[in-house]
Amino acid sequence: MKTKQIMRCVSFCPTENYRLTTISSFFRSLGYSVKQYRKVIHISHPTPSQEYDIFIFSYGCLVTWGLKHKEEKQLLEQLKPFSINPLPTVELGRFVYRYGDRVEMATHERFNVDVIVLESNSDQLKLAISYGLAQSIQLESYESAVQKTIDQNTHYPEQLAKKGSISLSQKEISRRMGQIFLARSSINLNSEYLAAPEYFWEHPNFEDCYNMSEKFLDIPRRVATLNQKLDVLHELFEMLTSQLQHRHSNMLETIIILLIFVEIVITLATKLTN
């Protein structure tokens, strides 16, 4: 199938994880064609009259090919019951695609939109590119979460340098430390999904298409930048830990001084009564 018709391709990251087995059963019960790959399912329309493809990844991302905006919204609603830890904000990436003589990705100079050109309607070709699109939108979700955490806490080092202390209660410091720890651990636990998918061990012919999408979406550089931001979070965590320990140490010193003072008072009182 080769046509100049322009169609929508959108990547979403609405949740941390999806229950793929139950999603497969749900869409099969509705009469859709469902194929299971490694940590991803492919859903397509049962009739050739309407061409679209949906790839849903276990790590909470999905990529749609050929759906209309209304259908995408309906799909996201259908998937909500199968989500694990939905995200407060749904990250999405918009593209358009068409069929041509070779596979390529480029930014349209006039309309500032990313265009994907496919040489065929192959499921595996779309899946190879979808891996890159899904990784990119998941990375965008991580980038947003990390930057938000940094923005919420980045002024405390300056405050500590100017005033020698942080204007937070012990409970609030512990809460901030928990937020930073959760942000770091969530990314570290899921970082394997930012590596080359195992799918291409069995389908090496399509790895070049994945590499093309990875390069176009600048994933390696963004991963490196994300790691630098994680280092900033680590430094913030250590600073808050040090501040908490300092307050704890000061509290212990105060308690010891009070105990010594009480002991001196009791000793003096005992001597005076004698």
Side-chain angles (χ1 to χ4, degrees):
M1 176 183 177
K2 300 212 175 169
T3 176
K4 293 294 183 179
Q5 181 185 1
I6 298 296
M7 290 162 282
R8 288 170 61 90
C9 174
V10 185
S11 57
F12 300 90
C13 185
T15 184
E16 288 186 7
N17 297 99
Y18 274 126
R19 299 183 179 92
L20 294 189
T21 303
T22 50
I23 291 175
S24 298
S25 301
F26 172 73
F27 280 97
R28 283 195 179 102
S29 70
L30 297 178
Y32 290 85
S33 174
V34 181
K35 295 179 183 178
Q36 181 84 41
Y37 295 97
R38 191 185 294 270
K39 296 182 180 180
V40 57
I41 56 174
H42 172 216
I43 300 171
S44 55
H45 200 270
T47 61
S49 59
Q50 185 177 6
E51 177 202 325
Y52 64 71
D53 296 276
I54 302 165
F55 296 97
I56 304 175
F57 297 81
S58 62
Y59 47 88
C61 300
L62 64 146
V63 179
T64 63
W65 298 79
L67 287 184
K68 297 176 182 177
H69 178 64
K70 184 178 178 180
E71 294 169 328
E72 293 162 0
K73 288 181 66 177
Q74 182 182 357
L75 174 64
L76 290 175
E77 287 297 320
Q78 287 177 312
L79 292 174
K80 278 185 178 179
F82 312 109
S83 303
I84 302 173
N85 298 329
L87 301 175
T89 303
V90 178
E91 300 288 348
L92 61 92
R94 295 184 180 90
F95 305 83
V96 297
Y97 74 99
R98 64 177 178 83
Y99 295 97
D101 297 325
R102 61 178 182 177
V103 181
E104 60 181 356
M105 294 180 71
T107 301
H108 196 286
E109 294 180 0
R110 231 175 121 189
F111 300 107
N112 193 28
V113 62
D114 294 330
V115 181
I116 303 170
V117 181
L118 304 176
E119 63 182 5
S120 72
N121 191 26
S122 163
D123 297 346
Q124 292 181 329
L125 172 57
K126 287 181 179 178
L127 176 57
I129 296 176
S130 293
Y131 269 114
L133 300 183
Q135 285 183 343
S136 177
I137 200 64
Q138 186 189 45
L139 185 56
E140 191 169 326
S141 176
Y142 289 158
E143 289 166 342
S144 298
V146 169
Q147 190 59 52
K148 181 180 178 181
T149 306
I150 289 175
D151 290 343
Q152 289 174 340
N153 297 279
T154 191
H155 62 285
Y156 290 117
E158 184 179 354
Q159 189 179 107
L160 183 63
K162 287 183 177 179
K163 299 181 180 179
S165 63
I166 298 173
S167 58
L168 291 174
S169 66
Q170 186 168 323
K171 182 178 180 181
E172 184 63 22
I173 289 177
S174 298
R175 193 175 71 83
R176 298 270 175 167
M177 288 169 60
Q179 290 174 346
I180 293 172
F181 179 78
L182 285 175
R184 290 180 58 218
S185 61
S186 174
I187 294 169
N188 289 332
L189 289 172
N190 294 286
S191 59
E192 62 176 293
Y193 299 122
L194 298 177
E198 296 177 0
Y199 172 81
F200 298 109
W201 296 356
E202 301 171 2
H203 303 86
N205 293 341
F206 293 94
E207 189 169 5
D208 285 344
C209 298
Y210 162 75
N211 291 335
M212 175 198 66
S213 66
E214 184 185 46
K215 182 178 179 181
F216 177 78
L217 297 165
D218 207 14
I219 291 178
R221 183 195 62 79
R222 290 165 61 197
V223 169
T225 302
L226 181 65
N227 285 327
Q228 291 175 355
K229 290 184 176 182
L230 287 175
D231 289 340
V232 172
L233 284 185
H234 178 71
E235 292 171 4
L236 285 170
F237 183 85
E238 288 191 331
M239 182 205 69
L240 291 174
T241 301
S242 175
Q243 182 69 9
L244 194 61
Q245 290 174 344
H246 177 68
R247 287 191 180 183
H248 184 66
S249 176
N250 285 344
M251 185 180 67
L252 288 177
E253 288 178 5
T254 302
I255 291 173
I256 291 171
I257 291 170
L258 285 173
L259 289 174
I260 293 172
F261 176 75
V262 170
E263 184 179 1
I264 292 171
V265 170
I266 292 173
T267 303
L268 289 174
T270 302
K271 287 183 178 181
L272 288 173
T273 54
N274 291 335

